[in-house]
Amino acid sequence: MAAFIQTVLGPLPPSAVGRILHHEHLGALVPGPWLSGGAPIGADETEYAQEDVIERAVGALATLAGYGIDTVVDLSPYGVVGRDESGDSVLLLQEISRRSGVHIVAGSSVYLEPFSPQWTHELTVTELTERFVRDVTVGIGTTGVRAGILGEQATGLDEITAHEEKCLRAAARAQVETGVALVTHTTHGTMAMEQVGILREESADLSRVVIGHMDIQPDLDTLVRVLDTGVGIAFDTIGKQHWDFVLEPLPAEPAEGEYAKRAYFRSDLARARNLVALTERGYASQLHLSEDLTGAEVYLNPETHGRWGYGYLAAVFLPLAIDEGLDPALVDQLLGANPRALLTQGTA
């Protein structure tokens, strides 16, 4: 089989793909029904909401060509950040790709337990594996749009629940069966080594695994230990310096007044310094970059995502990293060669 990258509009030769944002959520740029988890009433409202999602994404992608970025990977799990519970909203990604001219690769995964659709709780690990395999080989939901990668498969903050372990094992087994790459979600960089342990038990190809959100993990030695297992890691929340973490979805009728959440800060300067340190230690081929930008968090970061949108990584962060010592010759590897190899299926 000739090598290809599976996009939402069909397969492409890897040579047709340039620089890549490897972890984004194109359907979650506005706080509409797919982001909030609700649903509008009536067909007209549904059509309007879908058009709003499409137009906002097309506009947001418009700046990327100037930085040589022509491909975006949408790693939205079932039921959150732009993907509905059935997966059928992946059709919006096709229209976004057509209008923007940007190649889009869709992932397939299940998010944290409190946010997982009920049907994912009801499936056995074998049944969920079959679902993931079908998403890759036949199409997501009823769309016929094939996933080109598995992810972002999630585990919690300082824990992996039984449900999350089941889903991670299913994703690993689907990776073994299909050969596609697998990207995980760590919550604030925790449980990375535990994820690797589970993936090893399932005989996953660790060279085609990326452990996500490790730029939030401040300890460089921890990053090195994870990389030494053979997996890649992602610096994929670049620009998200401030963020809120709500432990589980709010009830439909929350109580009046204050509710608990956690607020975090992680500077891009610290991210840049860790990125430089890892490249200097020889890990450049295992690193992946993106922004994980969503409309719900742009307001918390007015000087990064709020001002620059998707262009922030290339326009601001990479020059910062170069100022901190990043070899400019590595930019094409970090944004091009690394994620391109991850997305490539088949053989040359």
Side-chain angles (χ1 to χ4, degrees):
M1 180 187 301
F4 67 96
I5 291 174
Q6 182 65 48
T7 77
V8 297
L9 296 180
L12 289 176
S15 60
V17 172
R19 290 178 171 179
I20 300 164
L21 292 182
H22 116 103
H23 181 143
E24 299 299 337
H25 303 289
L26 291 167
L29 302 182
V30 293
W34 289 272
L35 181 62
S36 67
I41 299 173
D44 291 342
E45 288 86 350
T46 301
E47 183 176 350
Y48 174 82
Q50 290 177 339
E51 184 64 22
D52 193 24
V53 168
I54 294 167
E55 288 185 356
R56 293 300 180 99
V58 171
L61 293 170
T63 65
L64 291 182
Y67 304 108
I69 298 170
D70 60 16
T71 303
V72 173
V73 183
D74 187 289
L75 292 180
S76 301
Y78 281 108
V80 293
V81 285
R83 191 75 54 83
D84 62 9
E85 291 192 2
S86 70
D88 288 354
S89 59
V90 75
L91 291 171
L92 301 183
L93 298 181
Q94 289 188 311
E95 188 61 21
I96 293 167
S97 183
R98 291 187 189 103
R99 296 190 197 181
S100 67
V102 174
H103 306 308
I104 298 173
V105 176
S108 178
S109 60
V110 179
Y111 197 52
L112 300 171
E113 179 170 359
F115 298 85
S116 297
Q118 183 57 38
W119 63 263
T120 68
H121 291 270
E122 296 169 355
L123 295 184
T124 66
V125 65
T126 298
E127 292 168 336
L128 188 55
T129 300
E130 293 170 352
R131 176 68 175 251
F132 285 147
V133 170
R134 188 180 187 280
D135 287 351
V136 171
T137 60
V138 178
I140 298 169
T142 62
T143 65
V145 177
R146 291 171 56 184
I149 194 167
L150 294 163
E152 59 175 310
Q153 192 56 54
T155 61
L157 182 63
D158 295 317
E159 68 170 350
I160 300 178
T161 69
H163 172 73
E164 291 162 1
E165 180 178 340
K166 178 189 76 172
C167 296
L168 184 59
R169 289 187 183 277
R173 294 178 190 184
Q175 190 230 40
V176 171
E177 185 166 342
T178 64
V180 300
L182 168 61
V183 179
T184 74
H185 162 107
T186 64
T187 301
H188 304 168
T190 66
M191 310 308 291
M193 290 299 293
E194 290 80 1
Q195 287 187 357
V196 172
I198 291 169
L199 296 172
R200 272 185 175 144
E201 289 176 3
E202 296 295 342
S203 300
D205 180 353
L206 296 186
S207 71
R208 290 182 58 73
V209 167
V210 174
I211 307 298
H213 304 329
M214 294 305 289
D215 54 325
I216 303 175
Q217 168 55 254
D219 182 58
L220 187 63
D221 289 339
T222 297
L223 301 182
V224 168
R225 284 196 297 273
V226 175
L227 286 163
D228 283 342
T229 68
V231 300
I233 67 171
F235 279 56
D236 54 3
T237 63
I238 291 166
K240 193 184 292 187
Q241 299 190 114
H242 301 270
W243 72 97
D244 290 343
F245 182 59
V246 180
L247 300 181
E248 60 184 26
L250 294 177
E253 297 183 4
E256 296 286 347
E258 184 178 7
Y259 66 89
K261 67 177 180 180
R262 300 178 182 179
Y264 290 84
F265 174 74
R266 178 74 166 139
S267 75
D268 281 335
L269 179 59
R271 288 181 170 97
R273 287 173 174 169
N274 272 352
L275 179 69
V276 171
L278 292 174
T279 62
E280 290 176 342
R281 296 189 187 194
Y283 294 105
S285 66
Q286 294 170 255
L287 305 176
H288 300 263
L289 306 180
S290 208
E291 295 169 89
D292 196 25
L293 189 154
T294 70
E297 292 167 322
V298 165
Y299 80 100
L300 290 171
N301 295 278
E303 296 303 314
T304 59
H305 293 171
R307 179 177 180 186
W308 294 92
Y310 285 126
Y312 174 77
L313 194 162
V316 180
F317 178 79
L318 285 174
L320 169 65
I322 290 169
D323 286 345
E324 291 297 316
L326 179 69
D327 183 350
L330 291 176
V331 170
D332 278 331
Q333 178 174 8
L334 296 172
L335 284 179
N338 290 355
R340 192 180 306 118
L342 194 72
L343 295 173
T344 298
Q345 304 178 51
T347 56

